[in-house]
Amino acid sequence: MNSKIRKISVVGAGYLGKQIIEKSLLYNYKIKAFDTNKEDLDAFTKRMKKTIEDKNLSASITQFNNIAEAVKGVDLVIEAVPEKLELKREIFPKIDKAASPHTIIATNSSSIPISKIEDVVERKDKVMNIHFYDLFMLPIADIMRGTQTSEATFEKGRAWLESIEITPLEVKKECYGFVMNRIWRAIKKDCLKIWAGDHADIEIVDKAWRLFCQFFSKTNLGPFQFMDRIGLDVVYDIEMSYFKNSGYPDDKPPDALKEMVDRGELGVKSGKGFYRYKTK
Ligand SMILES: NC(=O)c1ccc[n+]([C@@H]2O[C@H](COP(=O)([O-])OP(=O)(O)OC[C@H]3O[C@@H](n4cnc5c(N)ncnc54)[C@H](O)[C@@H]3O)[C@@H](O)[C@H]2O)c1
């Protein structure tokens, strides 16, 4: 373990909470867990104890019947209860009151920024978003600060993620949907419109997506590298064409892109775009 976090509490051990627990155990963290569904947590805890034994891990898991006991003495609490703002706002003060002063409290919320929860706790500098996807199949997590999250808190959260081999995706400025969820949202949004407008069959959309992903996987390109290859003047014109067609302000490409084009920063072909390139 290369982070200062040693003991973790997971409040809400459902679909995601269980994954957080299991992954952390595999990296020898000490886990305390609480879930209102005691029977389910019982069965899961038994299974995890067997995993610890079978794999000869130095980890441990203990389940508790209340939040206060479950968060006592840990370095990090991950809240993974259902996606209801009122519920999260009810649970955070309970954690805040019972946890040690140094404890970081993170929410695994898929959509709620921690800034919408932070006012119900005293430790406003020790709260953050840590949003997982699938800890075993897609080992990335968005990390986002609240309005008063300290850099020490943020860095500890990041280091802990790296210690369990999850790649942290830093959100620099609060944004709805974080990093990856926002990218995925853009894809989802238009897939649904193609489907609802009967523009193409869903099987065609899925096939196109799979082939598209294969291309990105083979070339190892990201969207910004790909736009640099296409040419930013071309990208700008395409985006303007969408904007002129719909008239929606949201479809207008950012002014910053137009400024890059005006400066001659066109991507690979000009030696500079979002990235720099060697010109022949
Ligand atoms: N499912 C996903 O793929 C996914 C991915 C990323 C983030 N998330 C987020 O993680 C959170 C949990 O989602 P999930 O899919 O694991 O939901 P889930 O319904 O599988 O699990 C929630 C768990 O919380 C427990 N719970 C309910 N009220 C509680 C309380 N007061 N105290 C303690 N435990 C309580 C439930 O018994 C359940 O086991 C949500 O905020 C969700 O948005 C989910």
Side-chain angles (χ1 to χ4, degrees), residues 20-34:
I20 297 165
I21 293 171
E22 186 168 359
K23 184 92 179 187
S24 304
L25 288 173
L26 293 174
Y27 288 83
N28 292 312
Y29 282 95
K30 314 274 181 222
I31 304 292
K32 291 176 142 197
F34 170 67

Side-chain angles (χ1 to χ4, degrees), residues 11-17 34-37 40 67 79-83 87-88 91 108-111 131-133:
V11 175
Y15 182 70
L16 246 287
F34 170 67
D35 195 292
T36 43
N37 187 340
D40 186 54
I67 292 184
E79 168 276 303
V81 301
E83 189 74 344
L87 179 60
K88 292 182 192 280
I91 281 172
N108 178 47
S109 170
S110 303
S111 65
H131 170 247
F132 293 95
Y133 289 80

Side-chain angles (χ1 to χ4, degrees), residues 164-178:
I164 59 167
E165 293 191 63
I166 302 277
T167 301
L169 309 174
E170 177 180 349
V171 180
K172 288 200 292 184
K173 201 191 310 176
E174 185 179 296
C175 136
Y176 206 87
F178 317 115

